[in-house]
Amino acid sequence: MNDARGEMDLSGDRGFQDVRESVYHVVLLACAVVSVLTTIGIVYSLAAPSVAFFAEVSAAEFFTATEFNVNIQPITFGVLPLAFGTIIVTVGAAAVALPLGLLTAIYLSEYADSRTRAVLKPMLEVLAGIPTVVYGYFALVYVTPFLDGVLPVELNTFNVLSASLVMGVMIVPMVSSISEDSMSAVPDTLRQGAYGLGATKFKVSTRVVVPAAVSGIASSYILAISRAVGETMIVVVAAGNLPNFPSGPGDVLPKFFEQTQTMTAAMVEVLTSEIGGGTVAYRSVFAIGLTLFGMTFALNLVSDFVAERYREEYD
Amino acid sequence: MAKENTEVDAERETRTERTRAGDPTDTAPDQLISTDPGREGVAEQDDEPSGATETVIEAHGLDVYYGETRALDDVTIEIPSNRVTAMIGPSGCGKSTFLRCINRMNDLIDVARVEGDLLFDGVDVYADDVDPVALRRHVGMVFQHPNPFPKSIYDNVAYGLRVQGDTDDLDGRVEQALRRAALWEEVSDRLDDSALDLSGGQQQRLCIARAIAVDPAVILMDEPASALDPIATSKIEDLIDELAESYTVVIVTHNMQQAARISDRTAVFLTGGELVEVGPTREIFEDPEEDRVEDYITGKFG
């Protein structure tokens, strides 16, 4: 070693390297900034017309009125029936997707052999690639008549039930794919530890792997719910276009069999109708959009909190 | 410290009496209570052929293949109860494979294939009517890297009892297991904390507590101290010494000094999955019959 002292060339052509490195830095930074700027731009474009809207319609009316009616007198801008529509559809979809997605993920991660998984997982992910309008027509043309035939209740042609069931199927791959990733990331040593204690495969899966992967599973849930909240085409096609608010808590369940209008569907309706730009009705779309953005933003915050709170570090 | 040991001893005797009265499969009661806890006495008994305890595990002509690769080659061995039997040998010699045959952990590897006889308590472990889940309730295991579940300390120890649906006096048995694993004093005031907050050595003792909470007959240890620092290692070794009074311990180690320190009997595996020699630890280390074993022990090979 000592022989080589001072003989090794440790200098470099710093000038050119520095320039190249700073070019990389700037290009990568620009890529990151694009999406941040887009987000800021969208929030601004929602916020500016919303401010104008709230100058004409009181926030109290917007958030408490139980009617949304932009065409017929008396014109009312109540977001509640729309929010109710969004929530009831989302709850229905979640009731399908969360258990089905989690059980699918358990199967894929713990039970399926590698060949089955290699076939099944891409097939499942194809579900996420089907255009949502196709799901909408599937719900309207096949699911609703089928449900109408088997259920003992009278089902409206446009109804929450079939739209939310089909939407639930649509978001299953989001839940199963992300949940499966986080379950596969659970170290095998934990499984072996549980097997070594005489646990059955089902108990290893449900009492060790699922709890250990809970942060990823929760993230997948929130992501899927956000997706359902923002979904438009399925509800426009299959759930109808009539704001529908329950008269009381006992009236909530029957709403599944009736038509509804979600926040997204109302926005589409106003924007595609003959209501001109610059009117209050036109601006109400932005207020609804901002409210929707607030809802999904809150979900994302919850998701971050859950992921942070339950994350476990493994060696 | 002295007080704690007394408590541990009292518990051990309680357990021994219970075992003696209630469990006919455990047929070595005369060895279970040792008036002299020092290991020397036991080792001397072991040196006499007739003084050995009952055989609890025996393999005859055991072969294991991983796909086309032969991992164990015609292994024949008898493992006595209430002794520490060490498996030593170079990497890839099959010692861990043998260990994982005993509780059928090799079942979890699709390509593994086992041939030959492996008897636990006289029953062929690989017989069609043996349920590996039931088997593993009698054969506990401690792994190379501490692998506590991401749950509380309490829930880790209670896990085995809960999956076996055996939850009478859970608190008392969790405490007893933690005391036996010499961890109680360190964690008694924070049983609800996450097990992942413990140090590596504490985690490994927790894994030992978790394994003994269900009161198995045999504890398999797969290099249990190889990921630990010397102080934590010495605690684990002391613990193994005490465990052998109540349990049959089979330990895989690549550390020959460790095998010499803690085991009563030693089995030497060499490359190709061949069990070359097995016998009382002192004989293996001082005067092995096989030249290859002597070469390995003295560092000429492996």
Side-chain angles (χ1 to χ4, degrees):
Chain A
M1 266 316 223
N2 286 342
D3 299 345
R5 178 166 288 173
E7 288 176 15
M8 283 183 285
D9 182 12
L10 300 179
S11 66
D13 190 355
R14 299 299 301 163
F16 179 63
Q17 272 185 8
D18 281 354
V19 171
R20 205 166 51 179
E21 280 300 318
S22 52
V23 168
Y24 291 153
H25 185 107
V26 169
V27 168
L28 295 173
L29 175 69
C31 293
V33 164
V34 166
S35 60
V36 174
L37 284 182
T38 311
T39 311
I40 292 172
I42 289 174
V43 173
Y44 177 77
S45 69
L46 283 175
S50 297
V51 171
F53 171 78
F54 284 119
E56 293 176 67
V57 178
S58 74
E61 179 190 330
F62 185 69
F63 288 113
T64 58
T66 57
E67 297 271 331
F68 184 79
N69 198 339
V70 295
N71 290 315
I72 308 159
Q73 293 295 341
I75 287 175
T76 4
F77 296 100
V79 80
L80 276 185
L82 306 179
F84 174 77
T86 292
I87 289 167
I88 190 174
V89 169
T90 303
V91 166
V96 173
L98 306 194
L100 199 59
L102 179 61
L103 294 175
T104 306
I106 292 174
Y107 173 74
L108 286 174
S109 162
E110 306 301 311
Y111 282 79
D113 59 48
S114 53
R115 214 177 320 153
T116 315
R117 179 166 47 236
V119 176
L120 214 59
K121 205 177 174 190
M123 276 174 65
L124 207 62
E125 279 161 6
V126 165
L127 279 180
I130 297 174
T132 54
V133 66
V134 175
Y135 278 108
Y137 276 98
F138 179 68
L140 181 69
V141 177
Y142 293 101
V143 179
T144 295
F146 171 76
L147 291 175
D148 200 25
V150 295
L151 291 180
V153 292
E154 196 181 327
L155 205 57
N156 196 298
T157 310
F158 301 101
N159 63 81
V160 171
L161 187 62
S162 65
S164 60
L165 290 183
V166 169
M167 193 191 290
V169 171
M170 181 187 79
I171 59 178
V172 159
M174 284 185 98
V175 175
S176 67
S177 196
I178 298 170
S179 295
E180 198 250 333
D181 287 345
S182 75
M183 285 161 135
S184 299
V186 172
D188 238 10
T189 55
L190 287 188
R191 292 185 185 84
Q192 293 189 357
Y195 278 121
L197 288 165
T200 58
K201 188 166 212 169
F202 185 71
K203 283 188 172 157
V204 172
S205 306
T206 54
R207 299 225 203 148
V208 172
V209 178
V210 169
V214 75
S215 117
I217 294 169
S219 299
S220 81
Y221 278 8
I222 304 278
L223 217 64
I225 290 171
S226 303
R227 180 83 172 74
V229 166
E231 171 50 34
T232 311
M233 277 320 288
I234 293 179
V235 286
V236 166
V237 174
N241 249 330
L242 188 71
N244 197 345
F245 195 70
S247 53
D251 192 32
V252 171
L253 215 51
K255 296 297 175 200
F256 271 101
F257 310 117
E258 299 170 13
Q259 63 171 316
T260 191
Q261 188 173 47
T262 64
M263 297 164 82
T264 51
M267 291 165 74
V268 171
E269 195 202 2
V270 172
L271 289 175
T272 54
S273 70
E274 290 169 5
I275 293 168
T279 61
V280 185
Y282 174 80
R283 290 198 194 101
S284 74
V285 167
F286 295 91
I288 298 168
L290 195 64
T291 312
L292 198 58
F293 178 79
M295 286 164 70
T296 48
F297 188 69
L299 280 172
N300 280 335
L301 288 183
V302 171
S303 164
D304 282 353
F305 172 77
V306 169
E308 197 58 43
R309 167 73 181 72
Y310 292 102
R311 183 173 2 250
E312 301 290 359
E313 300 290 345
Y314 301 107
D315 302 330
Chain B
M1 209 48 198
K3 181 174 172 288
E4 187 198 343
N5 283 338
T6 317
E7 282 168 9
V8 171
D9 285 338
E11 279 160 14
R12 187 177 302 129
E13 284 178 24
T14 311
R15 176 191 176 276
T16 309
E17 277 155 21
R18 181 158 56 85
T19 312
R20 195 191 256 174
D23 189 358
T25 60
D26 203 325
T27 49
D30 54 326
Q31 302 293 345
L32 284 178
I33 303 177
S34 174
T35 46
D36 173 13
R39 302 299 301 163
E40 291 78 10
V42 177
E44 274 163 23
Q45 283 174 6
D46 214 40
D47 285 347
E48 308 163 26
S50 59
T53 57
E54 172 117 338
T55 298
V56 64
I57 296 161
E58 50 185 309
H60 297 289
L62 192 70
D63 295 319
V64 175
Y65 299 87
Y66 293 125
E68 297 296 307
T69 314
R70 189 177 201 145
L72 274 190
D73 184 359
D74 196 23
V75 168
T76 296
I77 185 175
E78 295 190 354
I79 295 174
S81 68
N82 297 93
R83 293 286 181 271
V84 178
T85 302
M87 311 268 151
I88 63 171
S91 300
C93 68
K95 54 194 192 293
S96 286
T97 298
F98 177 75
L99 197 73
R100 281 155 186 268
C101 282
I102 299 173
N103 64 346
R104 288 184 60 170
M105 287 300 266
N106 283 331
D107 287 17
L108 303 177
I109 302 168
D110 288 340
V111 295
R113 189 159 49 87
V114 179
E115 290 172 7
D117 292 329
L118 181 63
L119 306 183
F120 166 61
D121 193 31
V123 177
D124 181 4
V125 163
Y126 285 88
D128 289 342
D129 61 346
V130 168
D131 176 8
V133 170
L135 171 71
R136 290 178 199 136
R137 293 178 177 182
H138 299 287
V139 184
M141 188 159 192
V142 176
F143 297 82
Q144 181 170 5
H145 292 280
N147 58 349
F149 304 129
K151 298 168 185 275
S152 72
I153 293 167
Y154 182 97
D155 286 343
N156 263 275
V157 182
Y159 183 88
L161 294 166
R162 282 180 175 148
V163 297
Q164 299 183 16
D166 181 12
T167 52
D168 296 340
D169 188 25
L170 208 52
D171 290 356
R173 290 155 82 188
V174 167
E175 177 178 340
Q176 189 184 341
L178 284 168
R179 281 188 189 282
R180 277 201 183 141
L183 192 59
W184 176 254
E185 301 294 326
E186 290 159 62
V187 302
S188 59
D189 56 344
R190 50 175 179 142
L191 293 176
D192 291 330
D193 288 7
S194 169
L196 300 180
D197 294 340
L198 298 173
S199 71
Q202 289 174 324
Q203 287 187 6
Q204 193 62 308
R205 277 179 283 149
L206 180 68
C207 291
I208 292 174
R210 189 173 70 181
I212 59 183
V214 296
D215 209 12
V218 177
I219 300 173
L220 309 176
M221 297 188 167
D222 192 355
E223 303 192 19
S226 67
L228 304 180
D229 63 65
I231 292 170
T233 299
S234 106
K235 284 186 182 174
I236 299 282
E237 288 183 4
D238 291 346
L239 183 56
I240 291 169
D241 216 31
E242 289 184 19
L243 290 175
E245 293 175 22
S246 311
Y247 303 98
T248 304
V249 178
V250 185
I251 178 170
V252 164
T253 175
H254 58 220
N255 179 335
M256 280 187 275
Q257 287 73 30
Q258 185 174 64
R261 278 194 299 268
I262 63 175
S263 71
D264 303 302
R265 292 172 66 80
T266 297
V268 184
F269 288 76
L270 292 179
T271 320
E274 186 188 355
L275 172 58
V276 180
E277 187 171 349
V278 56
T281 296
R282 195 178 301 164
E283 282 177 28
I284 295 285
F285 280 92
E286 288 173 5
D287 185 22
E289 285 176 15
E290 293 274 342
D291 292 343
R292 284 188 291 163
V293 171
E294 183 156 7
D295 288 349
Y296 175 67
I297 302 273
T298 55
K300 286 182 196 155
F301 165 73

